[in-house]
Amino acid sequence: MIRIKYHTPGTAPATLVAKANPNAGPPTLTLIQYDSETIFEGTFDTFEELMERFDPAKVNWINVEGLSDVGLLRKFSERFHIHPLALEDVLNTSQRPKVEHYTDHYFIVSEMIYQDEQSRVTVEQLSVFLGDCYVITLQEEAEHDVFDPVRARLRGGRGYARKMKADYLTYALLDATVDQFFPILESVGESIEEIEDELLSKPTKETLKSLYQSKRLLLQLRRAAWPQREIFNTLIRDDTGLIGKETQVFLRDCYDHSTQIIDILESFRDLAAGLMDVYLSSLGLRTNEIMRVLTVISAVFIPLTFIAGVYGMNFDRADPWNMPELSWPYGYPLCLAFMATVATSMLILFKRKRWL
Amino acid sequence: MIRIKYHTPGTAPATLVAKANPNAGPPTLTLIQYDSETIFEGTFDTFEELMERFDPAKVNWINVEGLSDVGLLRKFSERFHIHPLALEDVLNTSQRPKVEHYTDHYFIVSEMIYQDEQSRVTVEQLSVFLGDCYVITLQEEAEHDVFDPVRARLRGGRGYARKMKADYLTYALLDATVDQFFPILESVGESIEEIEDELLSKPTKETLKSLYQSKRLLLQLRRAAWPQREIFNTLIRDDTGLIGKETQVFLRDCYDHSTQIIDILESFRDLAAGLMDVYLSSLGLRTNEIMRVLTVISAVFIPLTFIAGVYGMNFDRADPWNMPELSWPYGYPLCLAFMATVATSMLILFKRKRWL
Amino acid sequence: MIRIKYHTPGTAPATLVAKANPNAGPPTLTLIQYDSETIFEGTFDTFEELMERFDPAKVNWINVEGLSDVGLLRKFSERFHIHPLALEDVLNTSQRPKVEHYTDHYFIVSEMIYQDEQSRVTVEQLSVFLGDCYVITLQEEAEHDVFDPVRARLRGGRGYARKMKADYLTYALLDATVDQFFPILESVGESIEEIEDELLSKPTKETLKSLYQSKRLLLQLRRAAWPQREIFNTLIRDDTGLIGKETQVFLRDCYDHSTQIIDILESFRDLAAGLMDVYLSSLGLRTNEIMRVLTVISAVFIPLTFIAGVYGMNFDRADPWNMPELSWPYGYPLCLAFMATVATSMLILFKRKRWL
Amino acid sequence: MIRIKYHTPGTAPATLVAKANPNAGPPTLTLIQYDSETIFEGTFDTFEELMERFDPAKVNWINVEGLSDVGLLRKFSERFHIHPLALEDVLNTSQRPKVEHYTDHYFIVSEMIYQDEQSRVTVEQLSVFLGDCYVITLQEEAEHDVFDPVRARLRGGRGYARKMKADYLTYALLDATVDQFFPILESVGESIEEIEDELLSKPTKETLKSLYQSKRLLLQLRRAAWPQREIFNTLIRDDTGLIGKETQVFLRDCYDHSTQIIDILESFRDLAAGLMDVYLSSLGLRTNEIMRVLTVISAVFIPLTFIAGVYGMNFDRADPWNMPELSWPYGYPLCLAFMATVATSMLILFKRKRWL
Amino acid sequence: MIRIKYHTPGTAPATLVAKANPNAGPPTLTLIQYDSETIFEGTFDTFEELMERFDPAKVNWINVEGLSDVGLLRKFSERFHIHPLALEDVLNTSQRPKVEHYTDHYFIVSEMIYQDEQSRVTVEQLSVFLGDCYVITLQEEAEHDVFDPVRARLRGGRGYARKMKADYLTYALLDATVDQFFPILESVGESIEEIEDELLSKPTKETLKSLYQSKRLLLQLRRAAWPQREIFNTLIRDDTGLIGKETQVFLRDCYDHSTQIIDILESFRDLAAGLMDVYLSSLGLRTNEIMRVLTVISAVFIPLTFIAGVYGMNFDRADPWNMPELSWPYGYPLCLAFMATVATSMLILFKRKRWL
């Protein structure tokens, strides 16, 4: 539901402990290095090999998938002057999205939210370090990320991608994470509409459950969306020189998308809250209807049964005062007629009360 | 319900893909060109023909209906220095209303909300580019827009319309979109009053449904109204020179109208929320009443039926202890009298409890 | 409920159309002209006659009741430099209270809320133009206004009224509209207390209805009170010279009253919202109680009726296994005793469950 | 509930009308005059006698209890330059707590909230005028105030009290009013806990009533607490010289206490709101349980009664097809066994559904 | 629930009264004194002994556990220039967390929230005085604190702990209190998930109770978390020189953690609020289901019982009009068949209504 990862209370600040899945293999280290003319892609086994290839004249995108190797992170920390607290945030992968400025780089914590193959919504922390000539991305898991289209654009050399600097690459990566919200929102929207239809026709426990789950998912998305917008707001106002004017226009676009996402999320929340009321009302309406049927049937038959009961009594008919009706020649038809009259009156009464 | 149009996640930013209805024909290109003395109106087949006619000394209102031709939009982009991201927003027609300032023009995204012939509320994105001598409007669909009165005023040459610049035309167009809210609000108000009457007389599933739909419509209007007010707020504070002092007074009027719309919307939301409570209470009250009828009938007749049952038992009356009442001379009338007493007592009791 | 008056969408801005009741006669034009020594009161037929009497050396209070004569308003507009948009707001009498500053005057839209003879709450728009030597007030209807005490004070020459300028007169008029809230609030408070008592004793549909109506009235008052406070806030901070220092102290008092009104309104809203919950709970409690009565009666008599039914069966008593109880010498008393035992046990059980 | 005292709408501003209880005697005038060495206490009959004793070199605390003598107030107004509007606020004793700065003094309206002997919460307006050498306090009623401990400290000469100026005395008085909130909050907290226990065991109409009353009391406290904090906030930022640096540290403490009070109030509100939900749920749960009992009893006995009814029918057993069971040797025991089977099956079924 | 500790209303400000448990022994006085090379730890009996050891050249952490000795606190107050109001706040241990700056030190009130052995959440006030060379911590109770890991780090001399000043020690202590929130939040999250499961399967009074308790706990945590974040916000912006640049980076980390805690708390609140709705709906659904069973059984058997009742009547069959059916050769089977038909029709009807 809500992931809470934290170091044991009392641990020294900036203590680095790998929280990753113990079964996870060693992290994968990949480098995409490009300028407007050339592009190099490679996977490395060690940090040292990677650093040999590192070239400050180009844009270096170093991608680390898997956070199990604390030693490796320490090397990054030394080489790129990463503050131990930032490194700690990379490892405690349930951080709130945020952006922090350190002397020569930005540290950005964002959330990749995407639907996996079973269309379950998955959250994975993405840590980004943006320096003047490099972008370091650290992902929790190796299996999946949302950056393949960015890689394809870099390889293809189309659009702005290759002509611009590390700041634009960072934008492209963040934009890719923001774009993931839309298909999820779309499917939430669809499921809310389905729930709405069900609620008004036949509300069941399953409908209640899926409504509650939609609300929970919206809550989760909200927790990611609001701080993510703050990130863009901060980056747009950047005055450190790390982010160029041209890229800021693109980041403003991201900011607008974030605002739109938040807007839709809030609308969905309102709709989902409204549906809970509809659910309760719908149940009340059904209870009402059921009660009405019960009451009508009871009100019609209970008096009749009573009459039948009376003429089933065994008073001694020797005495002329005792149950003389039983001896009337047309007693039985009269009795039936009386019963019919009572029943009909009742039904007319209920008809008037609009209970039928 | 809530339109979510987005490019496939990972698409390069500023990628232009026509989202329009594939059956839609080519876009219509119309130009209205005027100054205080002359006015020209024409429809063009190609961008080039249009541009030949374009005259920077006059106000040029270029209206594009239908967004299926990406090539055409690219030509606009080149000629009027429109940023690719703005163009992307034109095509992804579920943008949040906003205004952005680019070097020599404003880019405004607004929403035309109007009731069509079947009085359904329809939303259509309107994109406006305001330069010093031109206004470019881009609409999603060709069938309907809300600008005919503006056109009529331009043709008639009455009022301010023809004497003023492109900024005033933009104001007139935006004002026309804002004015559309009022008749919609009026009909929402009426339907809320109808629902209220129904709720207090006979709440049904249909009432619940139309209440929920009103709430949803209000949500949709709200999502358009709040950012629209922000647009006017930004334009009033304009310091780029694109919007004249005189037009700002008119925009302030639009801002006031937007505020009034938001005010009414929030009041309606409150009323609609209150009605949901009334609905639940009304249901509760009915259930109550139904239960009361059932209980009174049961409480009166069940004891009577029991008494009748007792005297229907077949104990052997040979023994004097067994059911001597049955042999009493006035057993039956006494029994009936007893039953009447029981029933009357019950009714008096319920009367006292105010259940009748 | 919520008045929505608007010009037909697309109408040119600042179009003047009289919205007034067509049966309404021509507007009444009255002038009260005074300085600390003299006072003149008169009613005029035409604008021209009025203007002849107008004297910039004194305070001129021109009161127009009824808005049916657009021509008259145009004359005001020309003489006092009133912006066409302001004039439009005067006519579209469902404006949000506001204050706007034009070159040489303030334009204030306020709401007169008062209880008429049938103690129904009535809302009427009041438009005020405050210049250096004049106050023009425009009211929707001629029948009723709340300014008689102000007139009396002017005539009497008591207090500050006559010694001060047009700004103080404006304050006095606005203060009179604000003061009207208090008796209305008082009666709302009383009706909320009544509803509360009813809710806890015997909640009916009527209670629900009057609760909902109180909520709606509060909503309406709120819509007037909040922007009205904003008016005072703006006037207090006036730096145009139209409002003197001394009058600002009085306006601060109005501001305080507005704050107090809003405070009370919000408290009432909270109370009314709480009452809706009380209503639902009260209903739930009654349903509960009714159910309990039904259940106790059913639970006591249904088993007894079953026993009576058993001994009413007609099994052939020739066989010694068939219903031997019926032939027992004390069968009937034993049967009755058994029934009494069953009933008593049930009652004890319910007593223990605290259902009785 | 919520006190609304106001002058008749239309009354001239700053009109002074005594609102006090007509039976109230004349106001009490007391003076406590002190410096670090001497202290004088006295009660005076007339304003003039009091003024003779007034000594600007010392701190003069003039306390007026009872507001029935408008003439007296006018004398204060003249002597201490009190603005008529301030005087009006003193008399209309349902003002919102506020602080206003006039040329040479502060005017503070606060609320004394205290529990009287019957531990009912009582609200009384306290008006304070703080000049450089005097503090004038005006109370609504003579019977009770919360300042006895302050008087005792002044007399005792302990602590800061005597060494400091009028500003510190004002602090001490306001602090005394703030401190009154805590015991009230404590008793509200206790009553909320009691209600909570009752709700979960046996919710009745009385519980509902006291819950609603707690909510109303919290609302009342809130209306006093929020503006009271504003008073301290204003006084802390004082730059008029009327309040010394040293006293500001003490006022900051008052501000903290006010914040704490608001904090607790908001928590209580949340708790009380939550309890209303618990109440509704608790009722629903009980209804549920009652229904289950009714349903189980009905479901077990109604079919049995039907069977008994069948064998009570009087079909002519001469025909072998008619009710042959009645003549079976073991018909009755078989019938009873069948009934037992039906009842047991029903009970098992309900057991499985967890209704038992 | 909510602790309200306050001095008796009217007590002189800055009156010091020990609120501690009267059975509590004398407070424990411990000193940890260190610089990067040496560390000294000791427990002292008197303030004077402690002060002899005090060394301004090193960092002195004085920890006082237990607040029963007012005399001791007075000595601290004199030696370290602690304002009497601050000392009062130390003793009234239900303060809102806050930070205040006095001439040469910060006074911080925080809350230690931790789970005790029985995993009950316990709140204890922690008061901290941070000067240039000392940190004084005052705790309510001696039994438990959350600082053992900090002590261990100081002893070990690892990490930054020993190299840095008193400001860093304060950070470390506050960080330790913040870290305590996470395990509590985790267990709240787990209990919310449990409640959710129960609600959808079998909602009972116990579930309701624990849901309400979770809400109350969240409320309590919230009251601590929000002001605690304010503390960090203030310390980060410190410009008094008491907090070094380097420590501010660490405090920013604390601020982030606080934000994350608040974020999670708000999400939990939303979830818990949603669960209350689920609870009500779940109950409604069950009531519905129970009612349906009751209605179906009643609707099937009540008419049948009536028919049986009719043929149990004792009309005199001598007359041919009276109950001829009873004498029909196949009367009984026909009657049973008719009953079966009625019952089957009813069941089919209910099946169609989807009540089965």
Side-chain angles (χ1 to χ4, degrees), chain D residues 149 153 168 171 186 193 196 200 256 260 267 270-271 281 288 291 299 302 314 316 319 321-323 325, chain E residues 1 6 10 12-13 94 98 100 205 216 223 269 283 287 291 297 311-314 326 328-330 332:
Chain D
R153 291 210 303 276
Y168 185 85
Y171 150 73
E186 201 174 38
E193 293 219 358
E196 186 196 331
L200 289 167
D256 283 349
Q260 200 186 343
S267 298
D270 264 33
L271 283 177
S281 309
N288 222 283
M291 290 299 309
I302 287 183
N314 296 321
D316 200 345
D319 189 286
W321 281 96
N322 280 350
M323 313 189 77
E325 305 91 328
Chain E
M1 183 174 60
Y6 54 93
S94 60
K98 65 176 175 179
E100 282 178 351
K205 192 166 282 186
R216 229 167 57 173
R223 284 185 63 228
R269 253 167 72 94
L283 278 184
T287 304
M291 290 300 308
I297 289 176
Y311 293 116
M313 294 195 294
N314 296 321
L326 295 180
W328 290 354
Y330 297 97
Y332 179 59

Side-chain angles (χ1 to χ4, degrees), chain E residues 6 12 56-57 74 105 177 227 229 260 264 311:
Chain E
Y6 54 93
R74 283 230 179 77
H105 62 266
T177 64
R229 186 170 71 162
Q260 198 185 345
I264 295 171
Y311 293 116

Side-chain angles (χ1 to χ4, degrees), chain B residues 55-122:
Chain B
D55 178 357
K58 298 182 174 175
V59 178
N60 299 275
W61 173 17
I62 303 169
N63 185 26
V64 183
E65 294 188 17
L67 302 172
S68 58
D69 185 349
V70 173
L72 176 71
L73 297 179
R74 283 232 179 75
K75 288 174 192 164
F76 272 103
S77 170
E78 277 159 38
R79 171 67 184 74
F80 294 101
H81 320 111
I82 294 172
H83 195 281
L85 285 172
L87 221 54
E88 193 192 350
D89 288 345
V90 169
L91 282 170
N92 287 326
T93 53
S94 60
Q95 296 301 312
R96 202 173 175 265
K98 64 175 175 180
V99 56
E100 283 178 353
H101 181 246
Y102 289 95
T103 324
D104 62 349
H105 62 267
Y106 270 114
F107 169 45
I108 301 164
V109 178
S110 182
E111 293 206 71
M112 283 194 287
I113 294 197
Y114 51 83
Q115 286 179 303
D116 64 11
E117 293 75 29
Q118 291 82 41
S119 75
R120 278 175 318 176
V121 173
T122 309

